[in-house]
Amino acid sequence: MRLRCAVLDDYQGVATEVADWSPVADDVEVVGFARHFADEDALAAALADFDIVVTLRERVPFPASLLTRLPRLKLLIASGMRNTVIDYAAAEAQGVTVCGTPSASTPPVELTWALLLGLARGLVTENEALRAGGPWQSTVGADLHGRRLGLLGLGKIGSRVAQVGLAFGMRVSAWSRHLTKERAEEFGVELAASKEELLASSDFVSVHLALGDRTRGLIGAAELALLKPTAYLVNTSRAAIVDQDALLTALHEGRFAGAGVDVFDVEPLPADHPMRSAPRLLATPHLGYVSRANYEAYYTGAVEDIQAFLAGSPVRRLG
């Protein structure tokens, strides 16, 4: 009997198109789910008859309470090699093998710049006006050349964002708790004296930190108040790093020029979520990792994980 494999959050219906699943076709039936399961009961019911689950990034938590309700589950594959919403101890106790896949850091870098440029040049406003027969030019774009780009985090993604900023002729500074002057200088970046100094002095601020106890709520009302009235904030990292209520308040009150956001406290966003109608906000539905090359890497990696698991030698094990 063939094993059953569920692919979660396959919104575009491309999981079986961007990768070659034929190596496991004789042994595995693949079923994609285009809709997101909002609660654990619905998810447990949907996955009850599956032996393998492929989940995208950290969209779907797999706590012990869910894993114990999936007695058939033997292999859980998470895209990328880092996942903080899987209970690895519970998975091991249930006899579930957890594996990761290859992943690229370039797609979120590119989306960061799409948001930043879209904000700076009022692209959405101008495009909508052009298509609707509205005013011919209604905004005055913000310059990048000579302006300061402040990066919260200078890891794999942040350092690449820095390189693009330098290519635009921007002055780039960065801050994180353990960032050193030597590390910053490797990328031609100035080390900010503090988080507060970076926020107060930057014309554009972009968040590139991992979510953890020390970064959750790192940017709250007090920090947002430090931004220049002409500054822009971009977050393609994790929603919880920026206090969502504080961000909404600041946007409605016009305390700074605008924000570009790709991550949210609830995903997918409910139809009535205030982020959908917030002013001065350019928002995308968590597209940071959504690129063809990245999807090819995810799902090709998932096929490789399944092959290795079936052969009794799992690869890229997590936890």
Side-chain angles (χ1 to χ4, degrees), residues 92 114 121 172 176 181 214 232 234 258 267 280 283 305 316:
E92 184 177 6
R121 301 304 294 266
V172 183
S176 65
K181 181 179 179 182
R214 290 187 175 184
Y232 293 93
V234 175
E267 296 185 9
R280 302 177 182 84
D305 289 347
R316 292 189 288 258

Side-chain angles (χ1 to χ4, degrees), residues 282-300:
L282 176 55
T284 48
H286 205 152
L287 297 178
Y289 64 88
V290 182
S291 76
R292 178 158 293 274
N294 226 16
Y295 269 31
E296 289 173 354
Y298 288 166
Y299 294 119
T300 298

Side-chain angles (χ1 to χ4, degrees), residues 146-169:
R147 300 302 190 268
R148 183 176 293 279
L149 170 63
L151 302 175
L152 289 166
L154 196 64
K156 286 193 298 184
I157 296 175
S159 61
R160 292 187 175 188
V161 171
Q163 291 170 354
V164 178
L166 292 169
F168 273 118

Side-chain angles (χ1 to χ4, degrees), residues 200-217:
S201 65
S202 297
D203 300 292
F204 299 87
V205 175
S206 192
V207 181
H208 302 289
L209 295 166
L211 179 62
D213 292 339
R214 290 187 175 184
T215 59
R216 188 178 301 275

Side-chain angles (χ1 to χ4, degrees), residues 41-191:
D41 288 341
L43 187 61
L47 299 181
D49 295 327
F50 286 91
D51 310 276
I52 304 167
V53 172
V54 179
T55 182
L56 274 180
R57 307 302 297 158
E58 296 170 321
R59 290 291 182 89
V60 179
F62 279 83
S65 57
L66 173 60
L67 290 167
T68 57
R69 300 170 70 179
L70 303 176
R72 280 187 55 168
L73 182 62
K74 296 302 177 186
L75 176 62
L76 175 59
I77 300 171
S79 60
M81 291 300 294
R82 182 178 183 273
N83 194 298
T84 62
V85 298
I86 295 173
D87 188 328
Y88 294 108
E92 184 177 6
Q94 289 288 119
V96 177
T97 300
V98 184
C99 298
T101 74
S103 177
S105 60
T106 50
V109 173
E110 294 166 0
L111 186 76
T112 294
W113 279 102
L115 289 172
L116 194 151
L117 289 166
L119 287 167
R121 301 304 294 266
L123 293 187
V124 174
T125 299
E126 296 291 1
N127 177 259
E128 289 178 347
L130 186 146
R131 294 172 67 87
W136 184 261
Q137 299 183 5
S138 63
T139 64
V140 177
D143 293 284
L144 272 62
H145 184 85
R147 300 302 190 268
R148 183 176 293 279
L149 170 63
L151 302 175
L152 289 166
L154 196 64
K156 286 193 298 184
I157 296 175
S159 61
R160 292 187 175 188
V161 171
Q163 291 170 354
V164 178
L166 292 169
F168 273 118
M170 303 183 79
R171 296 172 293 148
V172 183
S173 59
W175 177 89
S176 65
R177 292 183 189 274
H178 301 296
L179 181 61
T180 64
K181 181 179 179 182
E182 292 73 23
R183 168 72 176 175
E185 289 178 345
E186 286 181 29
F187 298 100
V189 173
E190 176 186 345
L191 176 64

